[in-house]
Amino acid sequence: PRPRRPRRRRRHPAARPLRRAAHLAAAPPPPVFEFPAGLPTIRRMAGKRKKQRAKAAAQMGEDAPIAQNRRARYEYEILDTHEAGLVLLGMEVKSLRAGRVNLSGSFAALRRGELFLLALHITPWQSAGPAAPHAATRPRKLLLHRRELARLSGQVAEKGLTLIPLSLYWKRGRAKVQLALARRRRRYDKRAALRRKDQQRDIARALRRPR
């Protein structure tokens, strides 16, 4: 008869990780590469770019102001406000980023079922290319929801109110207009508003004084 081969003794599975761990502990640690002090690492460059993007986002924040129409609150009684988008050209966006805009005297009007901002002065951008400069006070289309536009058109037609821009600002990288539904004040209304403003200033000054 053929002789039987002796059975091989099997080791317990729990002994294998211990043997491997002992082998790794005995081995020397791998060398660690370090960048020189003057050489910018990838992590440093990524952090610098992240800071630059955060700074740009802060400048173009949620409601970063561009221009204010301060005279409007004196000349008109503000009844309601709405946020509207503004259709602009590329050169006009550059002028807005440089702050070359004036809201005084501008107003909104309806034309063929659409709303336009009139008499808004945006200084033409002086470019070195062949592009022709835009007109400074050209009509610019305002973007509103259909329901808001229908409601505003009805209020302006029935009550004889006016649509004026109060402020121009950036929101998520887009130019927005705070549009106000307003009624023009008479002379005695302006005097009363100035008197009320002076009284509020005196009260605030008195409250700030130390007792």
Side-chain angles (χ1 to χ4, degrees):
R2 191 173 182 181
R4 294 183 60 182
R5 184 180 297 178
R7 294 184 62 181
R8 189 174 182 180
R9 186 178 178 182
R10 294 184 180 181
R11 295 186 178 181
H12 196 274
R16 296 178 184 177
L18 295 176
R19 185 179 180 184
R20 191 180 296 115
H23 174 71
L24 293 176
V32 179
F33 178 76
E34 295 183 358
F35 284 92
L39 185 64
T41 62
I42 298 176
R43 185 175 296 178
R44 291 177 189 172
M45 294 172 64
K48 187 175 181 181
R49 291 171 185 169
K50 188 175 181 180
K51 289 180 181 179
Q52 290 176 354
R53 288 195 296 267
K55 185 177 180 180
Q59 293 176 355
M60 298 281 297
E62 185 70 16
D63 291 324
I66 302 173
Q68 299 283 338
N69 191 0
R70 299 181 180 179
R71 189 72 181 176
R73 296 187 181 275
Y74 171 72
E75 296 285 344
Y76 295 89
E77 179 186 359
I78 308 301
L79 303 178
D80 195 8
T81 58
H82 299 269
E83 185 183 71
L86 188 61
V87 180
L88 297 171
L89 301 175
M91 295 296 179
E92 293 175 339
V93 174
K94 291 185 177 181
S95 297
L96 288 186
R97 295 189 191 279
R100 302 175 183 177
V101 59
N102 189 4
L103 284 173
S104 60
S106 57
F107 61 97
L110 286 163
R111 290 184 177 180
R112 298 178 181 179
E114 294 181 339
L115 196 61
F116 288 87
L117 189 59
L118 308 177
L120 173 64
H121 188 278
I122 299 179
T123 305
W125 184 262
Q126 300 297 331
S127 63
H134 62 271
T137 57
R138 72 177 186 88
R140 295 172 176 90
K141 186 178 178 180
L142 292 171
L143 303 177
L144 283 168
H145 292 288
R146 188 177 300 174
R147 293 180 181 178
E148 290 181 336
L149 188 60
R151 186 173 62 204
L152 285 177
S153 60
Q155 290 175 345
V156 170
E158 293 179 3
K159 302 179 182 179
L161 304 177
T162 309
L163 292 172
I164 56 170
L166 295 180
S167 62
L168 193 63
Y169 54 92
W170 297 108
K171 187 173 183 180
R172 298 176 185 174
R174 301 178 186 274
K176 299 290 183 178
V177 180
Q178 187 182 20
L179 203 63
L181 185 67
R183 181 185 293 111
R184 195 173 188 89
R185 285 177 175 170
R186 299 182 182 180
R187 186 173 297 178
Y188 57 84
D189 293 333
K190 295 178 183 179
R191 292 174 183 171
L194 284 176
R195 196 180 305 113
R196 196 181 308 112
K197 190 175 181 180
D198 291 340
Q199 291 175 357
Q200 292 177 356
R201 188 185 299 114
D202 294 339
I203 292 172
R205 190 181 297 124
L207 291 175
R208 285 197 301 266
R209 288 176 184 173
R211 296 182 179 179

